[in-house]
Amino acid sequence: LRNLEELLKIVQTLPSKTIAVSAADDYNTLKVVKEIEDIGIAKCLLVGNREKILCINENLKIIDINKKIIDSNSYVDSAKKAVFLVKNGTTDIIMKGNLPTAIFLKAILDRENGLISKGLLSQISVFKKLEGEGLQLLTDCAINIQPTLSEKIEIIKNSVLLAKIIGYKKPKIAILSAVETINSDMPDTIDAAIISKMAERGQIKDAIIDGPLALDNAISLKAALNKGIKSEVAGKADILMVSDIRMGNVLLKSIAFFAKKEIAAVVIGEKLPIIMCSRSDSLRSKILSVALAVYKISKKA
Amino acid sequence: LRNLEELLKIVQTLPSKTIAVSAADDYNTLKVVKEIEDIGIAKCLLVGNREKILCINENLKIIDINKKIIDSNSYVDSAKKAVFLVKNGTTDIIMKGNLPTAIFLKAILDRENGLISKGLLSQISVFKKLEGEGLQLLTDCAINIQPTLSEKIEIIKNSVLLAKIIGYKKPKIAILSAVETINSDMPDTIDAAIISKMAERGQIKDAIIDGPLALDNAISLKAALNKGIKSEVAGKADILMVSDIRMGNVLLKSIAFFAKKEIAAVVIGEKLPIIMCSRSDSLRSKILSVALAVYKISKKA
């Protein structure tokens, strides 16, 4: 995939997939549903309060809305029902509507009735690269607060999975820090060194990993050359990994607000894409995220 | 000050100040010196190896170079001599040339012969605001690795000092985090709550402080309204404070590389501006940083 516009176009031509929307009884969520169906990237089943959905739809006019509603009157119930729809194969993907993230994820991670029993959930944002063609992946800016070393490796594995689907055979991963040198006062630089060496020894497959690298040296070949960094990844990173949510959140929001880039995002757990947009995302960004999840599930099949 | 262009123009009209450049015997450093003198924002004294400076200058042709050189043959000596020039009043400002940061700062922080005996050094970056007129301050992206609560307060005080000189009578400060809610699993949100309350109680003067705030809610009024955040600072922050160097570095580099904004930066300690550019800064950014330091020292007088 060269860019997000191309992603959207491809998804419009793929066999249609179905999305279970948990807690869809909310104007902003239904607006996204309307747009999804209008541009033809998926079909939706709406779990939520029937009356409320019908009332909101008087303005939106989603077609055949009655057939699409699965009545539900609590957050917990709407999360469980949406999970069940994916589990029994009625729908392909689950999407978070207007309910608390914790309740939504609890249903997904439930040992008995959930969708994911092992591994780790992590969020991946995708946007156009600064230099050259292709898409940049950035992870994890939203789910894991302060991942441990082993959690970081799971985050990397999830991102490699998505990168391969997007078209990178062996993605180059930069582990971001404030510096390029290992510093015992900066624990994230220690983790970066360990993970880089693990990848070199073949303990992490299908990726070339290097870190610590500062952002400029990860994404700009000129900056990397200026600093004299010898690395297969520097200046050419396909995946950027941050070491915690503060670093990730501020970077992602800077890319969205200061750099005004279009961003798609998806949560991956056990190969399953989960659509979890944030209220502050633009409609366009939400649609791109849905397209990314549909693309992911289509390529898996 | 409305923008960095205006800063540069004003500084060109101010009475000339003098900069002591430590370890100036390097092509990139002398190129900055040449530019500083050409556009008339300051005069320079060059501490470094005389032969090397004269050799490099055959191409650069800095005027009256012989009168400007203070011969020095080691990093430590060049740092000490530059500090001495400021201390005895020969020059107004000190600038780091091509020497390790640790050696440069050690001379500045020396108890007996240094320039700073108390307080804390912190770096402040300045660039055009996302919304509305005026300059945005961002601190500390370069010096303090993982500041404690009391160090964060010193960082804030340094930034208020610069903000007032730039024209903010009572700057609005956003303490950045990944979230807007206090979360006991996220120590930086706890610090943010404490500092906000301290400001409310008058323990930090001349600033309105609120946090934790995610970046979007700090800089965009629309994002803050969407999230329903009630705050005097949200969407209108003059100063953005990050909680550690990883968060700061990635944000600053994203603003420079993804958003391609012009940035000036200065290090403040005990009211003294110190010019410490990084190799990866553009020439333009280095010149703006010098202008900011000159502006700071001129307004102090």
Side-chain angles (χ1 to χ4, degrees):
Chain A
L1 286 176
R2 279 170 308 172
N3 54 53
L4 295 173
E5 197 48 55
E6 187 181 81
L7 164 74
L8 206 53
K9 278 185 187 155
I10 290 174
V11 170
Q12 282 173 313
T13 68
L14 294 175
S16 190
K17 297 285 172 184
T18 312
I19 301 170
V21 185
S22 171
D25 47 7
D26 150 80
Y27 179 77
N28 285 323
T29 306
L30 286 173
K31 213 172 143 189
V32 178
V33 168
K34 166 82 176 160
E35 185 77 7
I36 289 170
E37 301 207 338
D38 279 0
I39 63 171
I41 54 172
K43 294 196 167 71
C44 296
L45 282 183
L46 312 173
V47 187
N49 181 280
R50 180 181 296 271
E51 302 297 310
K52 217 172 153 191
I53 292 174
L54 290 173
C55 176
I56 295 167
N57 198 50
E58 280 176 23
N59 286 314
L60 285 174
K61 307 202 186 307
I62 296 166
I63 296 160
D64 287 340
I65 188 107
N66 262 301
K67 295 184 201 162
K68 291 173 184 163
I69 300 174
I70 286 127
D71 199 28
S72 169
N73 291 300
S74 77
Y75 289 149
V76 174
D77 183 64
S78 79
K80 280 185 183 169
K81 279 184 176 150
V83 165
F84 184 72
L85 288 171
V86 179
K87 210 170 168 92
N88 76 2
T90 308
T91 65
D92 306 290
I93 309 172
I94 191 164
M95 176 168 157
K96 178 181 169 290
N98 180 40
L99 80 169
T101 303
I103 294 178
F104 180 68
L105 291 182
K106 201 181 166 195
I108 289 173
L109 296 167
D110 187 88
R111 274 180 185 249
E112 220 169 307
N113 303 311
L115 296 170
I116 290 157
S117 56
K118 63 182 168 73
L120 161 145
L121 284 180
S122 58
Q123 184 263 11
I124 304 166
S125 296
V126 177
F127 47 89
K128 211 185 156 310
K129 275 189 180 173
L130 178 72
E131 290 183 0
E133 282 289 312
L135 290 169
Q136 184 90 67
L137 283 75
L138 169 62
T139 190
D140 168 350
C141 303
I143 303 267
N144 296 283
I145 294 176
Q146 182 88 51
T148 61
L149 180 62
S150 58
E151 285 166 349
K152 284 179 184 172
I153 292 162
E154 294 301 315
I155 289 170
I156 285 176
K157 285 179 182 168
N158 282 350
S159 72
V160 170
L161 200 81
L162 186 64
K164 287 172 95 168
I165 282 168
I166 282 174
Y168 294 109
K169 280 185 187 167
K170 197 165 185 174
K172 297 182 173 71
I173 305 181
I175 306 173
L176 297 182
S177 182
V179 292
E180 290 77 43
T181 42
I182 318 304
N183 181 331
S184 58
D185 291 333
M186 299 169 128
D188 66 304
T189 66
I190 309 275
D191 277 6
I194 297 168
I195 296 170
S196 301
K197 183 54 81 175
M198 286 176 76
E200 206 185 301
R201 289 282 188 268
Q203 290 174 268
I204 304 166
K205 306 284 181 210
D206 299 334
I208 302 168
I209 306 180
D210 195 17
L213 286 169
L215 178 65
D216 53 341
N217 305 315
I219 59 173
S220 159
L221 215 48
K222 199 183 151 198
L225 287 172
N226 275 347
K227 269 244 161 170
I229 296 165
K230 280 176 192 166
S231 158
E232 277 186 86
V233 174
K236 295 178 282 188
D238 305 312
I239 301 174
L240 305 171
M241 190 182 74
V242 295
S243 56
D244 69 16
I245 200 172
R246 286 174 306 135
M247 192 178 171
N249 192 279
V250 91
L251 175 54
L252 182 60
K253 283 181 170 155
S254 161
I255 292 166
F257 283 79
F258 282 123
K260 300 184 199 308
K261 273 185 186 278
E262 292 196 327
I263 300 170
V266 73
V267 172
I268 305 271
E270 219 175 307
K271 298 191 184 178
L272 192 81
I274 299 163
I275 305 164
M276 268 177 71
C277 296
S278 119
R279 261 183 298 179
S280 60
D281 293 344
S282 65
L283 181 61
R284 168 81 180 170
S285 160
K286 286 173 185 169
I287 293 302
L288 291 172
S289 298
V290 171
L292 183 60
V294 172
Y295 187 80
K296 164 84 180 66
I297 204 103
S298 302
K299 286 278 166 174
K300 182 193 166 192
Chain B
L1 285 177
R2 281 171 305 172
N3 54 52
L4 295 174
E5 197 49 55
E6 189 182 78
L7 165 74
L8 206 53
K9 278 185 187 154
I10 291 175
V11 170
Q12 283 173 312
T13 68
L14 294 175
S16 191
K17 296 286 173 184
T18 312
I19 302 170
V21 185
S22 170
D25 46 8
D26 150 79
Y27 179 76
N28 285 322
T29 306
L30 287 174
K31 213 173 141 189
V32 177
V33 168
K34 166 82 175 159
E35 186 77 7
I36 290 170
E37 301 207 338
D38 279 0
I39 64 172
I41 54 172
K43 294 196 168 71
C44 297
L45 282 184
L46 312 173
V47 187
N49 181 282
R50 181 182 295 271
E51 302 297 310
K52 217 171 153 191
I53 292 175
L54 289 174
C55 175
I56 296 167
N57 197 50
E58 281 177 23
N59 286 314
L60 286 173
K61 307 201 187 306
I62 296 167
I63 298 160
D64 287 339
I65 188 106
N66 262 302
K67 295 185 199 162
K68 292 173 183 164
I69 301 174
I70 286 126
D71 198 27
S72 169
N73 290 300
S74 78
Y75 289 147
V76 174
D77 183 64
S78 79
K80 281 185 183 169
K81 280 183 176 153
V83 165
F84 183 72
L85 288 170
V86 179
K87 210 170 169 90
N88 75 2
T90 309
T91 66
D92 305 290
I93 310 172
I94 190 164
M95 177 169 158
K96 178 182 169 290
N98 179 40
L99 81 169
T101 303
I103 294 178
F104 180 67
L105 291 182
K106 200 181 168 195
I108 289 173
L109 295 167
D110 186 90
R111 275 178 185 250
E112 219 168 309
N113 303 310
L115 297 170
I116 290 158
S117 56
K118 63 182 170 70
L120 162 144
L121 284 181
S122 59
Q123 184 263 11
I124 305 165
S125 295
V126 177
F127 47 89
K128 211 185 154 309
K129 275 189 180 173
L130 178 71
E131 290 183 0
E133 283 289 313
L135 290 168
Q136 184 89 67
L137 283 75
L138 169 62
T139 190
D140 170 353
C141 302
I143 303 265
N144 295 283
I145 293 176
Q146 180 88 52
T148 62
L149 180 63
S150 59
E151 284 166 349
K152 283 179 184 171
I153 292 161
E154 294 301 315
I155 289 171
I156 287 176
K157 285 179 182 168
N158 282 351
S159 72
V160 170
L161 200 82
L162 186 64
K164 288 173 95 169
I165 282 169
I166 282 175
Y168 294 110
K169 279 185 188 167
K170 197 166 184 173
K172 297 183 173 71
I173 305 181
I175 306 172
L176 297 182
S177 181
V179 292
E180 290 78 41
T181 43
I182 319 304
N183 182 331
S184 58
D185 291 334
M186 298 167 128
D188 67 305
T189 66
I190 310 275
D191 277 5
I194 297 167
I195 296 170
S196 301
K197 184 54 81 177
M198 287 175 76
E200 207 184 301
R201 289 282 188 269
Q203 290 174 266
I204 303 166
K205 305 285 181 210
D206 299 334
I208 301 167
I209 306 181
D210 195 16
L213 286 169
L215 178 65
D216 52 342
N217 304 315
I219 59 173
S220 158
L221 214 48
K222 198 182 151 198
L225 288 172
N226 275 347
K227 269 243 161 169
I229 296 165
K230 281 176 191 164
S231 158
E232 278 186 85
V233 175
K236 294 178 282 187
D238 305 312
I239 301 174
L240 306 171
M241 188 181 75
V242 296
S243 56
D244 69 16
I245 200 172
R246 286 173 307 133
M247 192 178 171
N249 191 279
V250 90
L251 174 55
L252 182 59
K253 283 182 170 156
S254 161
I255 292 166
F257 282 79
F258 282 122
K260 300 183 199 307
K261 272 184 186 279
E262 291 196 328
I263 300 169
V266 74
V267 172
I268 304 269
E270 218 175 309
K271 299 191 182 177
L272 192 82
I274 299 162
I275 305 164
M276 267 177 70
C277 297
S278 118
R279 262 183 299 180
S280 61
D281 294 343
S282 66
L283 181 61
R284 169 81 179 169
S285 160
K286 287 172 184 171
I287 293 302
L288 291 171
S289 298
V290 172
L292 183 59
V294 172
Y295 188 80
K296 164 84 179 67
I297 204 102
S298 303
K299 287 279 165 173
K300 183 191 167 193

